[in-house]
Amino acid sequence: IVVINIISYTIEQNIKGSFQGDIFSSLKLRNGNILFGVGNHSLYVYSFHTQNSYEIPNSHTYNINCLLSINNRNFSSCSGDQSIIVWRY
């Protein structure tokens, strides 16, 4: 439990102020990074290696509500803009 709290604190400190809006969904990628769907219509990837977050700007035109891992190479994002995007990483 302590490790989870430290990881949560580290992520919060590194992404705080880097975007506006609430985090609606998150997904752990196969490389260990965490993907966030944010209320500013963008996706963010948090890298544990660099301890930074990276934006995929304007991924949707409305809040990203859900992220789903499809397989080892693809995930989907669903939004209030009534779209589903399948991504490859």
Side-chain angles (χ1 to χ4, degrees), residues 41-87:
H41 317 163
S42 297
L43 290 170
Y44 286 81
V45 178
Y46 178 81
S47 168
F48 282 99
H49 179 70
T50 65
Q51 296 189 351
N52 288 313
S53 59
Y54 304 92
E55 181 181 16
I56 305 170
N58 301 315
S59 307
H60 284 275
T61 58
Y62 203 74
N63 295 344
I64 298 167
N65 299 322
C66 182
L67 299 170
L68 177 67
S69 176
I70 298 172
N71 56 36
N72 285 339
R73 298 192 148 269
N74 299 296
F75 68 90
S76 66
S77 59
C78 305
S79 170
D81 62 12
Q82 300 181 352
S83 69
I84 298 172
I85 299 175
V86 176
W87 304 82

Side-chain angles (χ1 to χ4, degrees), residues 15-58:
I15 65 174
K16 189 175 181 180
S18 64
F19 61 84
Q20 292 184 358
D22 295 325
I23 296 173
F24 287 97
S25 187
S26 64
L27 176 67
K28 182 179 177 186
L29 301 175
R30 76 171 190 266
N31 61 6
N33 292 341
I34 297 178
L35 182 69
F36 294 95
V38 181
N40 70 352
H41 317 163
S42 297
L43 290 170
Y44 286 81
V45 178
Y46 178 81
S47 168
F48 282 99
H49 179 70
T50 65
Q51 296 189 351
N52 288 313
S53 59
Y54 304 92
E55 181 181 16
I56 305 170
N58 301 315

